[in-house]
């Protein structure tokens, strides 16, 4: 590992998003969220539906404005971006790949128009010919034949549509990509294709990636670090191997124990751990927050619980060494 | 030997579309034994849902053409039954749960009445008795406060709870066969685990056989006694869950297993199956999987593979099992699984 402190591509502090403020149906979708993403890494965000992971993604992409809190992206607070050209520059560097490959592509546009649109808006190409050449290159990059440029989204399968979606995101050469459940709607064999494609592209293009998903096994495969969300809160953040091998928060344990593995022997012995949400709803929340238990391994807990969790981590690592 | 409760023989189904005839199911054979769970695995468009919808008699009459085959339920061919007789089987003998619990419940009817409806349909009981039975069912699937919950509408339930209601409706008449078509795909992992546990528990309680359709191999490993793998309208491999997971023979099964991330296969990267499934408007000549198959032999492009037996319970349709076929080395993940299988056999022999 290099000794230099790694540069942060994105830093979020005390982010809140509240819907229906003051009404009986008030929802705290994102609740005092703070985390950061290093430059060039893939950060996985997992959680059940309603945990606020997609809202977080939308806030980062500035598709929604946060109720309060700050999001720093390459040194700038994105809530303060007001000027047209500033927002445009921000949009160029931050792109999104969506969940539903069919719904997120305009059915009345050809692939050329879909992928080339961003290039034109940001003035990256001057002539039609240039645009064409770039779109062909992008199609090649995501493993599609350039002939497909004249086709419409309906002519593609789900996996191919998702490739078009990725090509569209990459067109403006962004430094940050948010993939919001980008593989959940796809078949297993196609999921592996898309995940491998994203991994390959990340190495070639060197962008930072926020990968939002509920499928924990794929998230582990693609991410460097993972954050576990529940009820708008981040309960545990750790490097992916650490999180899978030494989960500390009971919610993470329960989530991991619920994932079925493609292995009958393991399945026969699997015990599901159930989790009571009241566990992390502290009545008195002084001194409650994310504490670093091991290097880069943060857990949401009370300050008094830290020594206990440190001991738990030690026990788990020792156990792993013994095997 | 256990009793066969359902036999599907040479089932062939095609759909008439504007583009032409789509050959969705191209000669499928499978048996279901009493009290077992059979998982049918395959990608979207492989024909797994269509085959089971044919068993339920749910395919539209207008553009569906059942070209051949038999579906024998306790010796009786379901394809030959008229609509009235089929209605007696459907729901009472064979019931089904669908993928999306949101759209398969009636939003304008209370949950209690929806469960009672299926009891009224098949048993000679009064509404009062039916509602009583319905409430009991609702308790059985793990819904609490059944008395007030009976009068709630589907939108007042969460996704997982709705799926429990679906299961209650399906099991209300204690059917012999339960067809579960991707029942947990739309649910979160923790809720999925609860629903699977519930299904396993009820299976033994009511003694139902389950046909479980899914593309999630993790769920298959958890639920199934036997597994059938489907590709492009055909079964390509079937066997017990151990045989399929630890000693797979068909390259498509290899691909499926190797493209699942497990704890062990992280080091050598995810294997992917290139390309996408064939268009069944024009079914390919030879093995439908050949164009995507890195292990394809020359004959695969010309002649459809026969079904080769691997063991008494394990069959696979691939030329690789032919006596004259060259020996190939499967992906690393499959070799790892085979080693586990060999170890297991050795352990069994020692005992």
């Amino acid at each position: 590992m290099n000794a230099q402190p790694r540069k942060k591509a994105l830093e979020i502090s005390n982010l809140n998003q509240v819907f229906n403020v003051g009404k009986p149906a008030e929802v705290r979708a994102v609740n005092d969220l703070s985390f950061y993403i290093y430059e060039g890494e893939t950060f996985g965000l997992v959680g059940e539906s309603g945990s606020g992971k997609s809202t977080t993604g939308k806030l980062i992409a500035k598709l929604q404005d946060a109720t309060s809190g700050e999001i720093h992206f390459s040194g700038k607070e994105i809530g303060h971006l007001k000027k047209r050209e500033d927002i445009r520059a921000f949009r160029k560097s931050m792109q999104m790949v969506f969940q539903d490959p069919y719904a997120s592509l305009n059915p009345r546009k050809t692939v050329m128009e879909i992928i080339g649109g961003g290039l034109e808006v940001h003035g990256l190409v001057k002539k039609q010919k240039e645009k064409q050449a770039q779109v062909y290159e992008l199609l090649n990059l995501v493993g599609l034949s350039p002939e497909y440029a004249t086709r419409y989204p309906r002519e593609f399968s789900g996996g191919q549509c998702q490739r078009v979606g990725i090509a569209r995101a990459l067109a403006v050469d962004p430094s940050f990509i948010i993939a919001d459940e980008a593989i959940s709607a796809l078949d297993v064999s196609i999921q592996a294709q898309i995940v491998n494609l994203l991994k390959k592209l990340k190495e070639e293009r060197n962008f930072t990636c926020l990968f939002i998903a509920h499928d924990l096994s794929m998230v582990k495969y693609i991410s460097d670090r993972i954050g576990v969300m529940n009820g708008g809160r981040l309960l545990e953040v750790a490097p992916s191997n650490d999180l899978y091998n030494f989960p500390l928060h009971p919610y993470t344990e329960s989530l991991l124990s619920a994932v079925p593995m493609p292995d009958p022997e393991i399945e026969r012995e699997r015990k599901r751990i159930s989790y009571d949400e009241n566990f992390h709803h502290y009545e008195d929340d002084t001194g409650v927050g994310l504490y670093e238990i091991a290097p880069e391994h943060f857990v949401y807990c009370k300050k008094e619980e830290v020594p206990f969790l440190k001991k738990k981590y030690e026990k788990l690592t020792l156990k792993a060494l013994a095997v | 030997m256990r009793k066969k409760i359902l036999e599907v023989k040479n089932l062939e189904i095609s759909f008439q579309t504007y583009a032409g005839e789509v050959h969705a199911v191209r000669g499928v054979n499978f048996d279901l034994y009493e009290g077992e769970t059979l998982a049918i695995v395959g990608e979207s468009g492989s024909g797994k849902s269509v085959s089971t919808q044919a068993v339920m008699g749910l395919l539209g009459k207008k553009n569906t053409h059942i070209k051949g085959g038999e579906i024998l339920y306790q010796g009786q061919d379901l394809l030959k039954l008229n609509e009235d007789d089929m209605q007696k089987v459907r729901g009472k003998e064979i019931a089904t749960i669908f993928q999306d619990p949101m759209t398969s419940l009636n939003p304008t009817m209370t949950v209690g009445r929806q469960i009672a409806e299926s009891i009224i349909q098949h048993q000679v009981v009064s509404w009062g008795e039916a509602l009583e039975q319905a409430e009991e069912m609702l308790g059985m699937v793990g819904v609490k406060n059944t008395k007030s919950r009976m009068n709630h509408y589907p939108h007042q339930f969460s996704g997982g709870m709705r799926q429990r209601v679906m299961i209650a409706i399906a099991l209300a008449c204690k059917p012999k066969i339960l067809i579960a078509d991707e029942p947990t795909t739309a649910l979160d992992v923790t809720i999925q685990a609860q629903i699977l546990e519930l299904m396993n528990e009820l299976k033994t309680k009511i003694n139902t056989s389950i046909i479980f359709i899914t593309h999630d191999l993790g769920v298959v490993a958890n639920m199934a006694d036997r597994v059938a793998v489907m590709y492009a309208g055909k079964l390509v491999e079937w066997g017990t869950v151990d045989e399929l997971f630890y000693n797979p023979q068909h390259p498509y099964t290899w691909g499926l297993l190797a493209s699942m991330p497990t704890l062990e296969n992280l080091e050598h990267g995810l294997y992917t199956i290139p390309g996408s499934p064939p268009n069944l408007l024009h079914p390919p000549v030879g093995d439908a999987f050949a164009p995507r198959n890195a292990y394809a032999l020359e004959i695969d492009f010309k002649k459809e593979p026969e079904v080769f037996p691997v063991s008494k319970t394990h069959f696979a349709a691939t030329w690789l099992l032919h006596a004259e076929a060259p020996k190939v080395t499967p992906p690393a993940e499959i070799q790892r699984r085979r080693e586990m299988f060999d170890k297991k056999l050795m352990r069994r022999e020692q005992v």
Side-chain angles (χ1 to χ4, degrees):
Chain A
M1 290 283 143
N2 43 3
Q4 271 180 359
R6 295 171 68 188
K7 246 175 106 184
K8 288 169 188 167
L10 183 88
E11 190 160 10
I12 293 174
S13 37
N14 306 94
L15 191 67
N16 279 293
Q17 179 72 319
V18 189
F19 296 114
N20 301 329
V21 181
K23 291 185 191 148
E26 188 176 285
V27 179
R28 286 194 157 267
V30 174
N31 198 345
D32 201 25
L33 197 69
S34 303
F35 69 97
Y36 50 84
I37 300 175
Y38 289 120
E39 221 156 69
E41 82 168 342
T42 302
F43 187 86
L45 202 55
V46 294
E48 294 174 86
S49 25
S51 62
K53 55 191 194 304
S54 285
T55 307
T56 309
K58 283 182 188 152
L59 290 174
I60 295 172
K62 206 172 154 59
L63 294 177
Q64 284 176 6
D65 284 319
T67 312
S68 68
E70 289 183 352
I71 302 172
H72 285 275
F73 176 66
S74 52
K76 285 188 195 120
E77 211 286 297
I78 67 166
H80 293 158
L81 297 178
K82 288 276 157 22
K83 270 193 259 160
R84 227 180 128 84
E85 56 260 46
D86 287 348
I87 291 182
R88 189 165 276 188
F90 170 72
R91 295 255 184 266
K92 185 184 164 297
S93 49
M94 171 93 65
Q95 286 287 317
M96 213 159 166
V97 181
F98 297 93
Q99 171 169 13
D100 189 331
Y102 289 103
S104 57
L105 300 177
N106 189 336
R108 303 181 62 167
K109 286 188 170 173
T110 62
V111 166
M112 173 66 78
E113 290 167 315
I114 290 170
I115 301 178
L119 293 170
E120 278 174 358
V121 168
H122 291 289
L124 297 171
V125 286
K126 296 205 178 62
K127 289 189 211 105
Q128 275 295 315
K129 268 241 169 79
E130 254 178 88
K131 183 176 99 176
Q132 252 179 24
Q134 286 235 23
V135 171
Y136 289 161
E137 198 194 310
L138 284 160
L139 282 173
N140 266 329
L141 192 71
V142 296
L144 292 175
S145 154
E147 295 157 29
Y148 291 172
T150 52
R151 295 200 193 171
Y152 289 90
R154 59 164 185 272
E155 298 173 67
F156 294 110
S157 68
Q160 286 172 323
C161 277
Q162 206 55 291
R163 285 170 194 264
V164 173
I166 292 172
R168 171 179 63 182
L170 287 175
V172 295
D173 201 16
S175 61
F176 197 100
I177 284 188
I178 301 171
D180 187 358
E181 303 261 14
I183 55 163
S184 327
L186 306 173
D187 272 317
V188 187
S189 70
I190 310 295
Q191 277 188 8
Q193 283 179 13
I194 298 294
V195 164
N196 278 358
L197 174 71
L198 274 174
K199 268 197 135 172
K200 187 194 92 180
L201 290 174
K202 223 195 90 186
E203 271 160 36
E204 288 173 17
R205 294 275 179 128
N206 200 20
F207 52 81
T208 312
C209 185
L210 174 65
F211 193 85
I212 303 171
H214 67 259
D215 180 346
L216 286 115
S217 41
M218 274 300 175
V219 172
K220 182 196 175 190
Y221 179 68
I222 195 168
S223 312
D224 302 310
R225 289 192 308 135
I226 295 175
V228 180
M229 269 187 97
N230 180 300
R233 281 202 164 90
L234 210 48
L235 295 184
E236 189 162 359
V237 186
S240 51
N241 272 326
D242 230 38
L243 187 86
Y244 274 76
N245 297 328
F246 319 120
L248 292 179
H249 198 281
Y251 178 66
T252 316
E253 287 178 305
S254 116
L255 212 54
L256 284 173
S257 76
V259 182
M261 301 297 288
D263 200 325
E265 289 280 287
I266 296 177
E267 280 303 301
R268 272 169 212 139
E269 273 152 38
R270 183 162 63 94
K271 286 248 154 42
R272 189 166 61 84
I273 306 164
S274 49
Y275 176 70
D276 181 9
E277 290 214 2
N278 289 325
F279 182 88
H280 69 267
H281 290 170
Y282 296 95
E283 262 175 39
D284 164 31
D285 54 3
T286 41
V288 174
L290 278 173
Y291 288 97
E292 189 163 14
I293 305 298
E296 287 288 340
H297 195 141
F298 298 88
V299 179
Y300 179 83
C301 64
K302 252 190 149 134
K303 202 168 182 192
E304 295 88 83
E305 290 171 299
V306 173
F308 165 74
L309 285 169
K310 279 194 170 158
K311 221 172 253 167
K312 185 172 172 185
Y313 183 83
E314 241 168 64
K315 256 191 211 160
L316 283 170
T317 41
L318 282 176
K319 213 170 123 195
L321 278 175
V323 171
Chain B
M1 200 63 191
R2 275 186 301 175
K3 230 175 92 191
K4 274 182 201 171
I5 187 162
L6 185 79
E7 282 174 77
V8 174
K9 287 183 181 164
N10 270 325
L11 188 65
E12 272 181 64
I13 302 171
S14 63
F15 295 112
Q16 305 297 338
T17 66
Y18 286 114
E21 191 181 349
V22 176
H23 305 262
V25 177
R26 308 183 296 144
V28 161
N29 291 289
F30 65 84
D31 303 327
L32 183 70
Y33 294 96
E34 242 172 23
E36 78 164 348
T37 301
L38 170 72
I40 303 182
V41 194
E43 286 175 88
S44 16
S46 61
K48 52 194 196 308
S49 291
V50 174
S51 322
T52 49
Q53 275 168 19
V55 173
M56 284 289 285
L58 287 178
L59 294 169
K61 295 270 175 314
K62 230 173 164 182
N63 52 6
T64 318
H65 184 38
I66 298 183
K67 289 169 82 180
E70 288 179 319
I71 299 174
L72 299 176
Y73 170 69
Q74 296 185 329
Q76 186 183 28
D77 189 355
L78 293 182
L79 291 176
K80 293 210 175 76
L81 289 184
N82 61 27
E83 190 49 40
D84 280 354
D85 290 334
M86 193 62 215
Q87 194 68 41
K88 282 179 195 144
V89 175
R90 195 188 295 141
K92 184 159 196 298
E93 309 286 334
I94 308 175
T96 182
I97 319 171
F98 298 100
Q99 172 172 2
D100 192 348
M102 189 75 129
T103 50
S104 34
L105 287 169
N106 185 342
T108 66
M109 243 171 124
T110 61
V111 156
R113 279 190 96 80
Q114 291 191 54
I115 305 173
E117 198 187 19
S118 75
I119 299 171
I120 285 276
Q121 191 69 244
H122 296 292
Q123 293 171 22
V124 192
V125 288
S126 68
W127 263 104
E129 285 167 309
L131 284 169
E132 247 168 57
Q133 282 188 35
E135 195 180 326
E136 197 183 308
M137 261 336 279
L138 207 57
M140 205 154 141
V141 295
V143 175
K144 293 193 181 80
N145 304 328
T146 49
K147 203 150 207 120
S148 59
R149 282 307 230 173
M150 284 284 282
N151 296 319
H152 283 178
Y153 288 89
H155 73 265
Q156 291 166 295
F157 287 73
S158 67
M161 280 298 159
R162 259 182 237 145
Q163 200 58 290
R164 284 174 196 261
V165 172
M166 282 299 295
I167 294 174
I169 295 175
L171 296 182
C173 291
K174 314 231 172 347
K176 295 273 174 350
I177 301 173
L178 177 67
I179 298 174
D181 191 349
E182 309 234 10
T184 57
T185 311
L187 305 175
D188 279 320
V189 271
T190 46
I191 311 295
Q192 164 173 292
Q194 289 170 18
I195 296 290
L196 295 182
E197 270 166 34
L198 173 73
M199 286 181 72
N200 270 332
E201 186 195 311
L202 292 179
K203 183 183 122 188
T204 41
K205 221 183 238 172
I206 307 185
N207 193 26
T208 310
S209 312
I210 300 179
I211 299 180
F212 201 101
I213 301 173
T214 179
H215 63 252
D216 186 338
L217 290 167
V219 174
V220 174
N222 179 284
M223 293 290 289
D225 299 310
R226 286 195 308 134
V227 187
V229 181
M230 213 165 165
Y231 186 77
K234 286 187 175 201
L235 291 185
V236 293
E237 184 166 5
W238 60 99
T240 66
V241 68
D242 282 341
E243 285 167 336
L244 244 292
F245 276 86
Y246 298 124
N247 190 23
Q249 299 295 331
H250 198 284
Y252 179 62
T253 319
W254 293 351
L256 281 184
L257 282 168
S259 59
M260 291 284 290
T262 57
L263 293 173
E264 287 86 359
N265 67 4
L266 283 174
E267 296 86 46
H268 25 82
L270 273 193
Y271 179 90
T272 58
I273 307 173
S276 47
N279 186 347
L280 292 177
L281 263 175
H282 317 284
V285 190
D287 186 356
F289 185 57
R292 302 175 72 188
N293 184 359
Y295 301 93
L297 308 171
E298 222 170 280
I299 189 171
D300 276 320
F301 293 93
K302 291 176 191 146
K303 208 170 157 218
E304 217 170 275
E306 295 161 24
V307 174
F308 293 93
V310 182
S311 77
K312 260 187 222 159
T313 47
H314 187 184
F315 299 86
T318 166
W319 285 119
L320 288 178
L321 289 172
H322 193 271
E324 286 163 33
K327 287 270 167 289
V328 295
T329 329
E333 165 67 12
I334 303 304
Q335 288 178 34
R336 182 186 72 83
R337 286 175 180 270
R338 283 209 177 143
E339 276 161 29
M340 279 172 72
F341 187 69
D342 291 341
K343 265 185 220 153
K344 238 176 93 182
L345 276 184
M346 270 169 41
R347 226 181 298 143
R348 217 173 278 163
E349 272 160 21
Q350 281 166 3
V351 175

